[in-house]
């Protein structure tokens, strides 16, 4: 039989997701804090493992403040991270401009944090009480052509930003294809309610969309395409990106969170049939982990039990286990256990809670 119309087949790219948590930005600001440097280093490392990828940097905020404020702020933070990863110092320098809102404008505080970080990275010691701008100008005047006047002007800040962005291991290759997007407060990891300062909701994410086509003329591999610069509430694109991610890497306070494999064994109730349509769900209330597995014959270890594997689960987290029975009767007897962490042998065990 010949179809009356041609079918369209879309090959979805392989997607890798890096979620970065911790102290990245101060309130209302998009300046990337020195405490974020270790987390930023995970991005070039992951790109080296996934070199044929288009990158999408996504910013999120918590629910403090109005959504009309948080939406552009999340985009500003995503663009700030992207600029840092690609050494685009002019985009950072613009945040010192008089046209920026007072709450968002950079100034002496950002100068001081960058100077101290540059000194530490270069193994230099700032004398106690020395004016920071004067010390930076004096230390790098010959290399950067700076006047030693203690004034943080455009030339001094350009040199300072360049050195801050040059901190080892934080720069992507020059031919990387990178775009940005803001989700505001619309997709929290932790449902903390309105006007709540929840650190795990203030996060930056980098999606790696596999794209083997040669740059720079290739079409974007970000599918589905972003709905503009920011995602409105209830939009479907961001949840779809997360759903398609085959790997998720988390970094908190600058360090990758280790993962492990978890196998859960269920005892089959005596004299009862195994229904293949039943599902097992394992999810976390604090991380973006929500995995559902369908029970089928491949999980059967013997005639009395069924094993269900869960791969790449973050260690040292608490998970909720849920049975989703198919229509009709489902017959499983399982031990009710609380897993304090995936590598914790001291698992609490109670009497089986019966047939579900």
């Amino acid at each position: 039989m010949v179809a009356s119309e041609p079918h369209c087949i879309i090959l979805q790219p392989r997607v890798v997701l890096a979620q970065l948590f911790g102290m990245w930005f101060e309130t209302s600001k998009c300046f990337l804090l020195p405490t974020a440097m270790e987390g930023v280093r995970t991005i070039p490392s992951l790109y080296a493992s996934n070199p044929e990828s288009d990158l999408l940097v996504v910013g999120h905020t918590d629910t403090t403040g109005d959504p009309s404020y948080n939406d552009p702020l999340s985009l500003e933070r995503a663009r700030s991270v992207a600029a840092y990863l690609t050494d685009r110092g002019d985009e950072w320098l613009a945040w010192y401009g008089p046209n920026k809102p007072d709450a968002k404008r950079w100034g002496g505080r950002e100068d001081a944090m960058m100077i101290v970080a540059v000194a530490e990275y270069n193994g230099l010691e700032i004398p106690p009480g020395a004016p920071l701008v004067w010390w930076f100008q004096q230390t790098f005047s010959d290399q950067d052509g700076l006047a030693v006047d203690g004034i943080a002007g455009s030339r001094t800040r350009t040199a300072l930003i360049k050195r801050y962005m040059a901190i080892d291991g934080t720069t992507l290759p020059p031919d990387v294809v990178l775009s940005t997007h803001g989700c505001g407060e619309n997709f929290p990891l932790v449902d903390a309610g309105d006007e709540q300062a929840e650190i795990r909701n203030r996060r930056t994410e980098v999606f790696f969309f596999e794209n083997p086509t040669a740059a720079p003329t290739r079409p974007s591999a970000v599918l589905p395409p972003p709905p503009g610069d920011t995602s409105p509430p209830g939009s479907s694109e961001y949840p779809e990106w997360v759903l398609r991610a085959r790997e998720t890497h988390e970094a908190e306070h600058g360090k990758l969170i280790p993962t492990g494999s978890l196998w859960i064994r269920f005892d089959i109730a005596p004299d009862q049939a195994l229904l293949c349509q039943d599902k097992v769900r394992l999810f976390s209330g604090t991380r973006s982990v929500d995995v559902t597995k369908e029970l089928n014959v491949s999980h059967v270890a013997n005639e009395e039990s069924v094993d269900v594997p869960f791969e790449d689960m973050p260690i040292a987290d608490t998970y909720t286990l849920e049975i989703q029975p198919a229509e009709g009767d489902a017959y499983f007897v399982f031990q009710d256990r609380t897993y304090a962490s995936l590598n914790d042998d001291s698992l609490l065990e109670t009497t089986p809670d019966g047939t579900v």
Side-chain angles (χ1 to χ4, degrees):
M1 180 177 178
V2 179
S4 59
E5 296 181 2
H7 293 280
C8 179
I9 299 176
I10 300 176
L11 299 179
Q12 301 295 343
R14 177 177 180 271
V15 181
V16 173
L17 168 59
Q19 292 184 318
L20 308 173
F21 304 95
M23 192 60 184
W24 279 60
F25 308 98
E26 293 187 323
T27 302
S28 296
K29 296 288 187 73
C30 66
F31 172 72
L32 196 59
L33 296 169
T35 51
M37 290 303 103
E38 287 297 327
V40 174
R41 288 192 183 99
T42 65
I43 303 306
S45 176
L46 285 173
Y47 184 78
S49 302
N50 302 273
E52 294 183 335
S53 298
D54 293 350
L55 272 60
L56 176 65
V57 183
V58 180
H60 299 263
T61 70
D62 57 28
T63 57
T64 55
D66 191 83
S68 63
Y69 187 86
N70 287 334
D71 285 351
L73 178 60
S74 66
L75 179 61
E76 291 161 1
R77 288 174 170 175
R79 288 175 172 172
S80 180
V81 172
Y84 187 90
L85 288 168
T86 51
D87 293 347
R88 301 198 303 269
D90 56 331
E91 295 184 25
W92 272 34
L93 185 62
W95 281 100
Y96 288 95
N99 61 323
K100 298 297 183 182
D102 291 344
K104 294 184 175 183
R105 187 185 306 123
W106 300 4
R109 179 169 176 79
E110 285 73 25
D111 294 339
M113 287 188 285
M114 284 192 282
I115 291 171
V116 171
V118 168
E120 291 179 351
Y121 172 66
N122 289 278
L124 302 174
E125 184 174 344
I126 301 175
L132 292 179
V133 174
W134 177 88
W135 175 89
F136 176 80
Q137 292 171 333
Q138 183 183 56
T139 302
F140 298 103
S141 59
D142 291 342
Q143 301 173 47
D144 298 342
L146 302 178
V148 184
D149 58 9
I151 299 174
S154 176
R155 190 179 186 90
T156 294
R157 282 172 170 160
T158 297
L160 176 57
I161 290 171
K162 182 178 180 179
R163 289 189 174 275
Y164 189 65
M165 287 183 168
I167 290 178
D168 188 39
T170 58
T171 302
L172 290 168
D175 60 346
V176 66
V177 177
L178 186 150
S179 56
T180 56
H181 188 69
C183 283
E185 61 183 62
N186 298 321
F187 300 98
L189 286 183
V190 180
D191 188 8
D194 196 25
E195 295 297 328
Q196 296 298 315
E198 170 54 56
I199 191 170
R200 291 195 62 79
N201 291 335
R202 297 195 304 270
R203 67 194 188 278
T204 302
E205 297 173 325
V206 182
F207 290 87
F208 297 72
F209 291 84
E210 184 179 40
N211 194 349
T213 309
T217 58
R218 66 191 186 191
S220 174
V222 179
L223 294 175
D229 288 337
T230 59
S231 285
S235 57
S236 61
E237 290 81 2
Y238 172 78
E240 186 68 18
W241 299 335
V242 175
L243 180 65
R244 293 180 181 179
R246 299 185 185 178
E247 298 178 27
T248 300
H249 302 265
E250 294 189 25
E252 193 158 23
H253 302 296
K255 297 182 179 180
L256 282 175
I257 298 174
T259 60
S261 298
L262 174 66
W263 287 75
I264 300 179
R265 173 165 291 182
F266 298 92
D267 295 326
I268 299 175
D271 302 323
Q272 303 293 350
L274 173 64
L275 298 183
C276 297
Q277 293 81 11
D278 288 14
K279 296 180 180 180
V280 177
R281 178 187 176 210
L282 195 68
F283 61 95
S284 168
T286 58
R287 303 188 188 280
S288 61
V289 176
D290 192 335
V291 183
T292 299
K293 292 291 186 77
E294 184 174 288
L295 298 173
N296 55 57
V297 293
S298 65
H299 297 140
V300 176
N302 51 56
E303 295 181 354
E304 298 178 350
S305 64
V306 58
D307 288 345
V308 183
F310 293 87
E311 308 291 343
D312 299 321
M313 306 295 287
I315 292 175
D317 201 2
T318 301
Y319 295 95
T320 300
L321 182 66
E322 177 182 279
I323 303 295
Q324 299 176 342
E327 292 184 8
D329 295 328
Y331 302 99
F332 290 96
V333 177
F334 62 96
Q335 301 297 102
D336 182 13
R337 293 178 174 177
T338 299
Y339 294 83
S341 71
L342 295 186
N343 58 355
D344 185 0
D345 293 331
S346 58
L347 302 178
L348 302 178
E349 184 170 325
T350 62
T351 303
D353 70 349
T355 301
V356 297

